[in-house]
Amino acid sequence: MDYFIIIFFVEFLLIGLFASGFILTQRFGKLSNLNSLIFSYSFFIIFINYAYFYTKLSINSIFWFSLIIFFLSIIYLIIFYRNIFIEKTILILKISFVPILIFFLLALAYGEQYYVFRGNYWDYFNYLSTALLVLKNNFNEILKVENNIDIPLFIEIGTTNLHYRPSASLLLSFFLNIKVSNFFILGFAYKFFLIILILVSVFNFLSSLFKENNIYI
């Protein structure tokens, strides 16, 4: 059941990013293919950083606010741009199908030993420690923790990494808001979400490069 919840969330996030990107770029000119998804993702990362570090919102509040925005954006496209919404949703599902299938099969076949310890697990645990710290504390609370010299090692690592690589940990903590029985699988899904974004970027580049007449959204 966890796998299907995660897959649904990833697809909803991709479609929501496209829908919100479409709305954001309407005023400033239309983008070809799925470039609005990448534009929206860039804007989304800036928003998460600003909301967490400057307005001191909790990641949980940012999570629900973002989901509401994505949901309303999707509803807007369904009402006013239904054909475009259906076309681009099918395209997103096609691009994400193979990575999602690989994610599902690897996790199901090899289990925790694979997706927890595969690759550079030391780096992975550092990111996960930071993401868990962000999930449970807003930035003001983390600053108070930093001033305490007698803290557990994983919290010390988490606070240190938050200053050097904030966006990766913030987005991972965004994923950790999903209620599943094993949060390690969320870290694995997060990697595949980034892979899908890379594939979308490659698709956009190749489409712009080889098509004489771009198809505008």
Side-chain angles (χ1 to χ4, degrees), residues 19 59 65 112-113 119 128 144 161 181 185 195 203 206 210 216:
I59 200 67
F65 177 79
E112 290 183 353
Q113 290 296 318
L128 196 57
K144 292 178 182 177
N161 287 341
S181 58
I185 192 65
I195 289 172
F203 171 82
L206 293 178
F210 293 111
Y216 290 92

Side-chain angles (χ1 to χ4, degrees), residues 63-91:
F63 176 82
W64 287 110
F65 177 79
S66 300
L67 291 194
I68 291 170
I69 294 298
F70 293 149
F71 178 76
L72 293 177
S73 299
I74 290 171
I75 296 299
Y76 175 83
L77 258 66
I78 291 174
I79 295 173
F80 296 105
Y81 298 92
R82 182 172 299 176
N83 291 336
I84 291 175
F85 174 77
I86 293 173
E87 176 191 345
K88 299 307 179 183
T89 297
I90 292 173
L91 182 56

Side-chain angles (χ1 to χ4, degrees), residues 9-217:
F9 175 77
V10 169
E11 297 293 2
F12 173 80
L13 191 55
L14 291 167
I15 296 169
L17 284 168
F18 162 73
S20 58
F22 180 90
I23 295 170
L24 286 171
T25 56
Q26 270 188 306
R27 183 181 296 273
F28 305 104
K30 296 180 180 180
L31 300 177
S32 62
N33 301 312
L34 293 175
N35 281 323
S36 59
L37 193 159
I38 301 301
F39 174 85
S40 180
Y41 172 72
S42 304
F43 184 86
F44 179 58
I45 292 298
I46 295 171
F47 165 72
I48 290 181
N49 277 272
Y50 183 84
Y52 186 79
F53 289 112
Y54 292 98
T55 64
K56 306 301 191 294
L57 289 176
S58 68
I59 200 67
N60 184 259
S61 300
I62 298 170
F63 176 82
W64 287 110
F65 177 79
S66 300
L67 291 194
I68 291 170
I69 294 298
F70 293 149
F71 178 76
L72 293 177
S73 299
I74 290 171
I75 296 299
Y76 175 83
L77 258 66
I78 291 174
I79 295 173
F80 296 105
Y81 298 92
R82 182 172 299 176
N83 291 336
I84 291 175
F85 174 77
I86 293 173
E87 176 191 345
K88 299 307 179 183
T89 297
I90 292 173
L91 182 56
I92 290 170
L93 293 177
K94 285 181 178 178
I95 293 174
S96 62
F97 175 77
V98 172
I100 288 293
L101 181 63
I102 293 173
F103 156 77
F104 180 80
L105 293 177
L106 286 177
L108 196 63
Y110 295 104
E112 290 183 353
Q113 290 296 318
Y114 182 86
Y115 59 74
V116 174
F117 297 103
R118 181 73 173 178
N120 189 345
Y121 53 85
W122 291 109
D123 233 15
Y124 174 56
F125 288 158
N126 287 340
Y127 282 117
L128 196 57
S129 296
T130 308
L132 286 170
L133 187 67
V134 169
L135 180 66
K136 300 297 183 181
N137 304 275
N138 63 34
F139 190 52
N140 277 339
E141 292 169 332
I142 291 177
L143 290 177
K144 292 178 182 177
V145 170
E146 280 187 307
N147 294 327
N148 184 353
I149 60 174
D150 187 22
I151 57 175
L153 179 60
F154 85 94
I155 295 181
E156 182 181 348
I157 292 172
T159 55
T160 301
N161 287 341
L162 186 60
H163 292 289
Y164 295 111
R165 301 170 181 173
S167 296
S169 298
L170 286 175
L171 190 56
L172 178 55
S173 67
F174 189 87
F175 270 69
L176 293 180
N177 277 275
I178 308 171
K179 302 302 179 184
V180 295
S181 58
N182 183 353
F183 66 82
F184 283 108
I185 192 65
L186 293 173
F188 193 50
Y190 169 64
K191 297 175 185 177
F192 276 88
F193 171 74
L194 297 179
I195 289 172
I196 293 170
L197 290 180
I198 293 172
L199 291 178
V200 170
S201 299
V202 171
F203 171 82
N204 287 336
F205 172 74
L206 293 178
S207 297
S208 300
L209 187 63
F210 293 111
K211 285 187 178 179
E212 293 182 2
N213 298 313
N214 286 329
I215 300 174
Y216 290 92
I217 60 173

